[in-house]
Amino acid sequence: LPPPLGENYLSEESKTLISSLLSYQDFVGKLCNYQGCWYFYNTLQGVINFQKNFKPQDTDIILASFPKSGTTWLKALTIALLERSKKNDRSCDHHPLESDNPHGLVPFLELSLYLQSSTPDLTNLSSSSPRVFSTHMPLHTLQVPLKDSLCKVVYVCRNLKDVLVSNWHFKCTTLKNTKVEGSFTLESMFDSFCSGVDFFGPFWENVLSYWRGSLEDPEHVLFMTYEDLKAEPRGQIKRLAEFLGCPFSEQEEGSGGVDKILELCSLRNLTSLEINKSGKTSNKVCNSSFFRKGEVGDWKNHLIPEMENKIDNIVEEKFKGSGLKF
Ligand code: A3P
């Protein structure tokens, strides 16, 4: 969802830039294409502020995804993994995931931190080394300020049909009682999704940017999938921990450390926490809206065969030769 800001947040420079970009009016707002990706106008300001001003630290971790691909889960898992090394320093017994939603703990660069300020205050994040950020930007856009930096990027990818259905449910929930409620349908979202003119789309460009990045630089870009996390959570969380430089010791594994983290970050546990039942993000989105079924293949309950075929054809065409299997 675009954060609730008007065009008056745009700098003069951005207004000039936008006037030169391809644009499109969808049911929520105006989108424009910057560096091959579609953004709502106000989000583009966040992207530009980030590209111009972000100063990476080599220990930074950036969690990336296309919206509705498992971002919340990846954030929770990363926080839980990093928290192990801090456990002894903590003065209170509360785990950060018990007092804040994963999106509050791992802010979005372009949708939160750099949205309203070109120089956001990152001191709170600096107190916890490494700093952990998140983004939906494609890798090439993210990489502009990351040049020569050693920071690590983790991408989570999800089956395109489940992403579409998850996004539709998310919009139905979050746009309820707003003036655009009722102005979109699953069919209209399907059309935007397939045309690629979609917030942070095209989906395939977003995925491929990270897939290629992970092949070129596996030490700094890790490519994960929601389906692998569901199918073999232990193996995948160990892979994530190793990539982040905080592998499980034999002792930790032996004492059930891996399972404890999986349980802490499970959909069941996170949805049972008060903060996720009643809290809201800084963009005023209910924390509860980030959790739904969390199943692989829920698209089968929503998409008709024609939709399925069209998406399968897109996947076939766009990912052909990439080595990436869906
Ligand atoms: P569904 O709508 O299919 O249930 P994102 O975090 O990128 O916004 O993606 C949201 C999707 O991830 C939703 O999928 C949501 O239910 C699922 N999800 C959120 N937290 C999860 C968790 N801890 N484990 C598994 N899936 C989770």
Side-chain angles (χ1 to χ4, degrees), residues 187-198:
E187 287 71 22
S188 63
M189 283 186 61
F190 168 80
D191 288 340
S192 326
F193 204 65
C194 292
S195 71
V197 187
D198 193 23

Side-chain angles (χ1 to χ4, degrees), residues 65-77 102-103 108 136 156 158 162-163 165-170 226 229-230 262-271 288-299:
S65 60
F66 188 82
K68 313 322 292 173
S69 298
T71 326
T72 316
W73 195 11
L74 178 62
K75 287 183 180 188
L77 290 169
H103 294 286
F108 279 101
H136 290 317
V156 62
R158 190 179 187 190
D162 280 335
V163 168
V165 167
S166 181
N167 204 0
W168 179 62
H169 279 287
F170 182 70
Y226 187 88
L229 272 165
K230 292 286 290 189
L262 289 172
E263 169 52 25
L264 175 69
C265 301
S266 68
L267 191 67
R268 192 200 54 76
N269 183 56
L270 292 180
T271 46
S288 59
S289 59
F290 293 101
F291 307 96
R292 200 180 60 92
K293 279 188 172 177
E295 283 173 8
V296 172
D298 186 41
W299 63 266

Side-chain angles (χ1 to χ4, degrees), residues 11-56:
S11 68
E12 287 309 313
E13 198 185 348
S14 300
K15 283 183 190 163
T16 310
L17 169 71
I18 285 173
S19 66
S20 70
L21 299 175
L22 207 58
S23 66
Y24 180 81
Q25 173 78 44
D26 94 343
F27 64 88
V28 179
K30 282 186 207 155
L31 289 154
C32 57
N33 191 293
Y34 177 66
Q35 298 181 344
C37 178
W38 289 94
Y39 299 98
F40 285 106
Y41 280 19
N42 49 18
T43 312
L44 180 62
Q45 184 64 63
V47 174
I48 292 166
N49 288 343
F50 159 77
Q51 285 192 324
K52 280 191 168 168
N53 302 295
F54 182 68
K55 303 273 177 297

